[in-house]
Amino acid sequence: LESLDKGVVSYDFVEVMACPGGCVCGGGQLIHESIDKFNNRSSILYNIDKNASIRFSHENPDVLKCYEEFLNSPLSHTAHKLLHHKH
């Protein structure tokens, strides 16, 4: 925002996410009237993440295979052409 104010950058749109409770209660999530439901939801989600065997996309065997057999490497021309979009 400081860069926008100083004229260093120029954007047509800036999205700021500041959902109460963070991403656990963020956009697209169910709205909970009680803090107990939020605490239960966040506890479950954090435990699922903590115990997941694959926690990062760059460790996902399917993603690695896709790069190895088709996209060549991250930031390759093919990967950029198919995975990146300019609005």
Side-chain angles (χ1 to χ4, degrees), residues 45-61:
L45 290 174
Y46 285 118
N47 280 326
I48 288 170
D49 182 61
K50 182 175 71 174
N51 295 315
S53 60
I54 301 170
R55 295 187 60 222
F56 306 102
S57 60
H58 67 275
E59 294 175 351
N60 183 320

PDB file of all heavy atoms in Angstrom, residues 45-61:
ATOM      1  N   LEU A  45      -9.011 -28.670  11.495  1.00  0.00           N
ATOM      2  CA  LEU A  45      -8.220 -28.348  10.301  1.00  0.00           C
ATOM      3  C   LEU A  45      -6.725 -28.354  10.580  1.00  0.00           C
ATOM      4  O   LEU A  45      -5.933 -28.876   9.788  1.00  0.00           O
ATOM      5  CB  LEU A  45      -8.657 -26.997   9.733  1.00  0.00           C
ATOM      6  CG  LEU A  45     -10.042 -26.964   9.101  1.00  0.00           C
ATOM      7  CD1 LEU A  45     -10.411 -25.544   8.700  1.00  0.00           C
ATOM      8  CD2 LEU A  45     -10.122 -27.897   7.911  1.00  0.00           C
ATOM      9  N   TYR A  46      -6.316 -27.768  11.700  1.00  0.00           N
ATOM     10  CA  TYR A  46      -4.889 -27.755  12.026  1.00  0.00           C
ATOM     11  C   TYR A  46      -4.359 -29.161  12.275  1.00  0.00           C
ATOM     12  O   TYR A  46      -3.233 -29.488  11.891  1.00  0.00           O
ATOM     13  CB  TYR A  46      -4.609 -26.841  13.210  1.00  0.00           C
ATOM     14  CG  TYR A  46      -4.681 -25.379  12.840  1.00  0.00           C
ATOM     15  CD1 TYR A  46      -5.621 -24.536  13.417  1.00  0.00           C
ATOM     16  CD2 TYR A  46      -3.818 -24.836  11.889  1.00  0.00           C
ATOM     17  CE1 TYR A  46      -5.702 -23.194  13.062  1.00  0.00           C
ATOM     18  CE2 TYR A  46      -3.889 -23.500  11.530  1.00  0.00           C
ATOM     19  CZ  TYR A  46      -4.824 -22.688  12.120  1.00  0.00           C
ATOM     20  OH  TYR A  46      -4.896 -21.366  11.770  1.00  0.00           O
ATOM     21  N   ASN A  47      -5.167 -30.035  12.892  1.00  0.00           N
ATOM     22  CA  ASN A  47      -4.731 -31.414  13.113  1.00  0.00           C
ATOM     23  C   ASN A  47      -4.637 -32.187  11.806  1.00  0.00           C
ATOM     24  O   ASN A  47      -3.722 -32.989  11.625  1.00  0.00           O
ATOM     25  CB  ASN A  47      -5.658 -32.124  14.101  1.00  0.00           C
ATOM     26  CG  ASN A  47      -5.352 -31.764  15.531  1.00  0.00           C
ATOM     27  OD1 ASN A  47      -4.204 -31.534  15.894  1.00  0.00           O
ATOM     28  ND2 ASN A  47      -6.379 -31.696  16.358  1.00  0.00           N
ATOM     29  N   ILE A  48      -5.588 -31.975  10.901  1.00  0.00           N
ATOM     30  CA  ILE A  48      -5.511 -32.623   9.585  1.00  0.00           C
ATOM     31  C   ILE A  48      -4.215 -32.216   8.890  1.00  0.00           C
ATOM     32  O   ILE A  48      -3.477 -33.054   8.361  1.00  0.00           O
ATOM     33  CB  ILE A  48      -6.736 -32.260   8.718  1.00  0.00           C
ATOM     34  CG1 ILE A  48      -7.984 -32.961   9.241  1.00  0.00           C
ATOM     35  CG2 ILE A  48      -6.487 -32.619   7.247  1.00  0.00           C
ATOM     36  CD1 ILE A  48      -9.277 -32.479   8.590  1.00  0.00           C
ATOM     37  N   ASP A  49      -3.903 -30.929   8.908  1.00  0.00           N
ATOM     38  CA  ASP A  49      -2.684 -30.445   8.262  1.00  0.00           C
ATOM     39  C   ASP A  49      -1.437 -31.003   8.937  1.00  0.00           C
ATOM     40  O   ASP A  49      -0.521 -31.476   8.278  1.00  0.00           O
ATOM     41  CB  ASP A  49      -2.652 -28.918   8.276  1.00  0.00           C
ATOM     42  CG  ASP A  49      -1.434 -28.375   7.572  1.00  0.00           C
ATOM     43  OD1 ASP A  49      -1.273 -28.642   6.367  1.00  0.00           O
ATOM     44  OD2 ASP A  49      -0.618 -27.693   8.233  1.00  0.00           O
ATOM     45  N   LYS A  50      -1.407 -30.969  10.255  1.00  0.00           N
ATOM     46  CA  LYS A  50      -0.237 -31.431  11.011  1.00  0.00           C
ATOM     47  C   LYS A  50       0.058 -32.900  10.743  1.00  0.00           C
ATOM     48  O   LYS A  50       1.212 -33.310  10.668  1.00  0.00           O
ATOM     49  CB  LYS A  50      -0.461 -31.201  12.507  1.00  0.00           C
ATOM     50  CG  LYS A  50       0.709 -31.601  13.381  1.00  0.00           C
ATOM     51  CD  LYS A  50       0.466 -31.233  14.830  1.00  0.00           C
ATOM     52  CE  LYS A  50      -0.594 -32.133  15.405  1.00  0.00           C
ATOM     53  NZ  LYS A  50      -0.818 -31.949  16.837  1.00  0.00           N
ATOM     54  N   ASN A  51      -0.993 -33.705  10.572  1.00  0.00           N
ATOM     55  CA  ASN A  51      -0.822 -35.149  10.405  1.00  0.00           C
ATOM     56  C   ASN A  51      -0.821 -35.615   8.954  1.00  0.00           C
ATOM     57  O   ASN A  51      -0.687 -36.809   8.697  1.00  0.00           O
ATOM     58  CB  ASN A  51      -1.926 -35.879  11.179  1.00  0.00           C
ATOM     59  CG  ASN A  51      -1.806 -35.641  12.667  1.00  0.00           C
ATOM     60  OD1 ASN A  51      -0.729 -35.713  13.232  1.00  0.00           O
ATOM     61  ND2 ASN A  51      -2.921 -35.338  13.306  1.00  0.00           N
ATOM     62  N   ALA A  52      -0.956 -34.700   8.009  1.00  0.00           N
ATOM     63  CA  ALA A  52      -0.979 -35.080   6.595  1.00  0.00           C
ATOM     64  C   ALA A  52       0.399 -35.565   6.145  1.00  0.00           C
ATOM     65  O   ALA A  52       1.428 -35.008   6.529  1.00  0.00           O
ATOM     66  CB  ALA A  52      -1.417 -33.890   5.745  1.00  0.00           C
ATOM     67  N   SER A  53       0.410 -36.605   5.341  1.00  0.00           N
ATOM     68  CA  SER A  53       1.698 -37.121   4.840  1.00  0.00           C
ATOM     69  C   SER A  53       2.295 -36.179   3.791  1.00  0.00           C
ATOM     70  O   SER A  53       3.513 -36.111   3.635  1.00  0.00           O
ATOM     71  CB  SER A  53       1.524 -38.520   4.267  1.00  0.00           C
ATOM     72  OG  SER A  53       0.593 -38.502   3.203  1.00  0.00           O
ATOM     73  N   ILE A  54       1.458 -35.476   3.059  1.00  0.00           N
ATOM     74  CA  ILE A  54       1.913 -34.488   2.073  1.00  0.00           C
ATOM     75  C   ILE A  54       1.326 -33.142   2.499  1.00  0.00           C
ATOM     76  O   ILE A  54       0.118 -32.970   2.543  1.00  0.00           O
ATOM     77  CB  ILE A  54       1.435 -34.824   0.649  1.00  0.00           C
ATOM     78  CG1 ILE A  54       1.953 -36.192   0.232  1.00  0.00           C
ATOM     79  CG2 ILE A  54       1.906 -33.752  -0.334  1.00  0.00           C
ATOM     80  CD1 ILE A  54       1.320 -36.696  -1.049  1.00  0.00           C
ATOM     81  N   ARG A  55       2.206 -32.189   2.829  1.00  0.00           N
ATOM     82  CA  ARG A  55       1.729 -30.899   3.312  1.00  0.00           C
ATOM     83  C   ARG A  55       2.018 -29.761   2.344  1.00  0.00           C
ATOM     84  O   ARG A  55       1.515 -28.663   2.515  1.00  0.00           O
ATOM     85  CB  ARG A  55       2.363 -30.598   4.672  1.00  0.00           C
ATOM     86  CG  ARG A  55       1.913 -31.583   5.746  1.00  0.00           C
ATOM     87  CD  ARG A  55       2.400 -31.212   7.121  1.00  0.00           C
ATOM     88  NE  ARG A  55       1.899 -29.907   7.499  1.00  0.00           N
ATOM     89  CZ  ARG A  55       2.635 -28.988   8.120  1.00  0.00           C
ATOM     90  NH1 ARG A  55       3.888 -29.239   8.427  1.00  0.00           N
ATOM     91  NH2 ARG A  55       2.117 -27.825   8.435  1.00  0.00           N
ATOM     92  N   PHE A  56       2.842 -29.999   1.349  1.00  0.00           N
ATOM     93  CA  PHE A  56       3.251 -28.939   0.428  1.00  0.00           C
ATOM     94  C   PHE A  56       3.137 -29.442  -1.002  1.00  0.00           C
ATOM     95  O   PHE A  56       3.464 -30.594  -1.290  1.00  0.00           O
ATOM     96  CB  PHE A  56       4.693 -28.511   0.712  1.00  0.00           C
ATOM     97  CG  PHE A  56       4.936 -28.123   2.141  1.00  0.00           C
ATOM     98  CD1 PHE A  56       5.559 -28.998   3.011  1.00  0.00           C
ATOM     99  CD2 PHE A  56       4.528 -26.888   2.607  1.00  0.00           C
ATOM    100  CE1 PHE A  56       5.779 -28.640   4.323  1.00  0.00           C
ATOM    101  CE2 PHE A  56       4.740 -26.519   3.923  1.00  0.00           C
ATOM    102  CZ  PHE A  56       5.365 -27.401   4.788  1.00  0.00           C
ATOM    103  N   SER A  57       2.697 -28.569  -1.903  1.00  0.00           N
ATOM    104  CA  SER A  57       2.501 -28.997  -3.293  1.00  0.00           C
ATOM    105  C   SER A  57       3.802 -29.491  -3.926  1.00  0.00           C
ATOM    106  O   SER A  57       3.784 -30.428  -4.717  1.00  0.00           O
ATOM    107  CB  SER A  57       1.911 -27.863  -4.115  1.00  0.00           C
ATOM    108  OG  SER A  57       2.759 -26.733  -4.107  1.00  0.00           O
ATOM    109  N   HIS A  58       4.930 -28.898  -3.558  1.00  0.00           N
ATOM    110  CA  HIS A  58       6.194 -29.322  -4.172  1.00  0.00           C
ATOM    111  C   HIS A  58       6.671 -30.680  -3.647  1.00  0.00           C
ATOM    112  O   HIS A  58       7.653 -31.226  -4.131  1.00  0.00           O
ATOM    113  CB  HIS A  58       7.282 -28.252  -3.975  1.00  0.00           C
ATOM    114  CG  HIS A  58       7.709 -28.065  -2.556  1.00  0.00           C
ATOM    115  ND1 HIS A  58       7.027 -27.243  -1.689  1.00  0.00           N
ATOM    116  CD2 HIS A  58       8.740 -28.588  -1.867  1.00  0.00           C
ATOM    117  CE1 HIS A  58       7.627 -27.269  -0.513  1.00  0.00           C
ATOM    118  NE2 HIS A  58       8.665 -28.089  -0.598  1.00  0.00           N
ATOM    119  N   GLU A  59       5.965 -31.253  -2.668  1.00  0.00           N
ATOM    120  CA  GLU A  59       6.278 -32.599  -2.191  1.00  0.00           C
ATOM    121  C   GLU A  59       5.264 -33.630  -2.695  1.00  0.00           C
ATOM    122  O   GLU A  59       5.416 -34.820  -2.455  1.00  0.00           O
ATOM    123  CB  GLU A  59       6.272 -32.622  -0.658  1.00  0.00           C
ATOM    124  CG  GLU A  59       7.367 -31.788  -0.036  1.00  0.00           C
ATOM    125  CD  GLU A  59       7.267 -31.737   1.482  1.00  0.00           C
ATOM    126  OE1 GLU A  59       6.254 -32.209   2.043  1.00  0.00           O
ATOM    127  OE2 GLU A  59       8.198 -31.216   2.106  1.00  0.00           O
ATOM    128  N   ASN A  60       4.252 -33.186  -3.414  1.00  0.00           N
ATOM    129  CA  ASN A  60       3.195 -34.067  -3.894  1.00  0.00           C
ATOM    130  C   ASN A  60       3.721 -34.924  -5.049  1.00  0.00           C
ATOM    131  O   ASN A  60       4.158 -34.385  -6.070  1.00  0.00           O
ATOM    132  CB  ASN A  60       2.007 -33.220  -4.354  1.00  0.00           C
ATOM    133  CG  ASN A  60       0.833 -34.039  -4.792  1.00  0.00           C
ATOM    134  OD1 ASN A  60       0.972 -35.064  -5.440  1.00  0.00           O
ATOM    135  ND2 ASN A  60      -0.361 -33.570  -4.448  1.00  0.00           N
ATOM    136  N   PRO A  61       3.686 -36.253  -4.918  1.00  0.00           N
ATOM    137  CA  PRO A  61       4.213 -37.120  -5.977  1.00  0.00           C
ATOM    138  C   PRO A  61       3.537 -36.887  -7.327  1.00  0.00           C
ATOM    139  O   PRO A  61       4.197 -36.993  -8.366  1.00  0.00           O
ATOM    140  CB  PRO A  61       3.927 -38.540  -5.471  1.00  0.00           C
ATOM    141  CG  PRO A  61       3.702 -38.411  -4.018  1.00  0.00           C
ATOM    142  CD  PRO A  61       3.196 -37.024  -3.767  1.00  0.00           C
TER     143      PRO A  61
END
